[in-house]
Amino acid sequence: MTAESEARPGITVDAVRELLSDPKIFAELPPGLDDDAELALDSLGLVWFLHQLELRYGLEIEPAEAFLAEFTSIRRITDYLVDAHEA
């Protein structure tokens, strides 16, 4: 772990939920939505989400990467981002 990664805030389910709650990503993300409930990010929402990840966590993820098809729930997104954040 580098000093830079130690300085970044941790990625948690709550942090991902907060980012997804941005009206530019999901206009009305239900507050009680289960972490494993199916989500469908549209292309503009996905780009804005990835932009916010870069600003907040320093993660640069290209929207064309194949794994993005697996961004289907808050938990799956979080699991991927935790792995990417620690890399």
Side-chain angles (χ1 to χ4, degrees):
M1 187 176 286
T2 66
E4 179 183 321
S5 64
E6 288 176 10
R8 290 186 236 155
I11 297 174
T12 64
V13 169
D14 290 335
V16 170
R17 183 181 299 278
E18 178 189 338
L19 286 171
L20 292 174
S21 295
D22 183 318
K24 292 180 182 175
I25 300 170
F26 277 105
E28 294 185 30
L29 187 71
L33 185 68
D34 185 78
D35 296 342
D36 294 311
E38 289 288 318
L39 294 175
L41 289 168
D42 67 24
S43 58
L44 293 176
L46 176 62
V47 169
W48 185 251
F49 178 70
L50 296 177
H51 174 69
Q52 293 304 310
L53 284 171
E54 184 175 353
L55 292 176
R56 192 175 291 192
Y57 298 101
L59 290 175
E60 293 183 37
I61 300 172
E62 292 298 319
E65 292 184 32
F67 72 87
L68 293 175
E70 296 181 26
F71 270 30
T72 57
S73 73
I74 293 172
R75 186 173 319 280
R76 289 187 80 173
I77 293 169
T78 303
D79 289 346
Y80 175 83
L81 295 176
V82 166
D83 289 343
H85 188 258
E86 292 176 352

